[in-house]
Amino acid sequence: QVKLVESGGGLVQAGGSLRLSCVASGGMFSSYTMGWFRQAPGKEREFVAVNRWSTNSTYYADSVKGRFTISSDNAKNTVYLQMNNLKPEDTAVYYCATSRGYGSSWSREYDYWGQGTQVTVSS
């Protein structure tokens, strides 16, 4: 059974930093793309970043460019999201997800999802 577990969320002040981790287990992920999404209460799930392992490239939402960095450690089946200069509008539950696709910003493309980790940024 495929399992994705996020960690690293918490409460920080605006301007602070957090590093999220997502550990994958229970499957073979060498051919998968892994991305990050977030969802605030009452809002649609929003694309954040993706690490396109097949092409060794990354792609970010405009709202986080220059502040967030996605990276991976294939040996540990882990993907990270380094979040710097956090803003109150970054407050959301953050999810990691895997896809057999190229790694678009459409959540519909992704097959497996973690349980999410809460990130709260105070003003």
Side-chain angles (χ1 to χ4, degrees), residues 50-105:
V50 63
N51 187 359
R52 295 166 174 156
W53 296 349
S54 62
T55 57
N56 192 31
S57 63
T58 58
Y59 176 67
Y60 299 90
D62 289 342
S63 59
V64 305
K65 285 182 179 178
R67 299 189 297 119
F68 291 10
T69 302
I70 187 171
S71 61
S72 63
D73 185 338
N74 290 340
K76 297 181 178 179
N77 293 321
T78 301
V79 64
Y80 305 95
L81 185 68
Q82 178 67 45
M83 305 185 295
N84 297 326
N85 191 24
L86 284 161
K87 303 176 180 180
E89 52 263 43
D90 295 319
T91 295
V93 177
Y94 283 70
Y95 301 89
C96 66
T98 61
S99 171
R100 287 286 187 93
Y102 178 66
S104 75
S105 62

Side-chain angles (χ1 to χ4, degrees), residues 33-44:
T33 288
M34 187 169 290
W36 288 94
F37 291 77
R38 65 188 183 186
Q39 187 168 21
K43 297 184 178 180
E44 296 181 1

Side-chain angles (χ1 to χ4, degrees), residues 9-59:
L11 174 64
V12 299
Q13 290 186 306
S17 298
L18 286 172
R19 190 195 194 200
L20 306 184
S21 299
C22 175
V23 180
S25 63
M28 302 300 294
F29 299 94
S30 60
S31 63
Y32 280 71
T33 288
M34 187 169 290
W36 288 94
F37 291 77
R38 65 188 183 186
Q39 187 168 21
K43 297 184 178 180
E44 296 181 1
R45 188 163 297 183
E46 177 187 26
F47 169 77
V48 176
V50 63
N51 187 359
R52 295 166 174 156
W53 296 349
S54 62
T55 57
N56 192 31
S57 63
T58 58
Y59 176 67

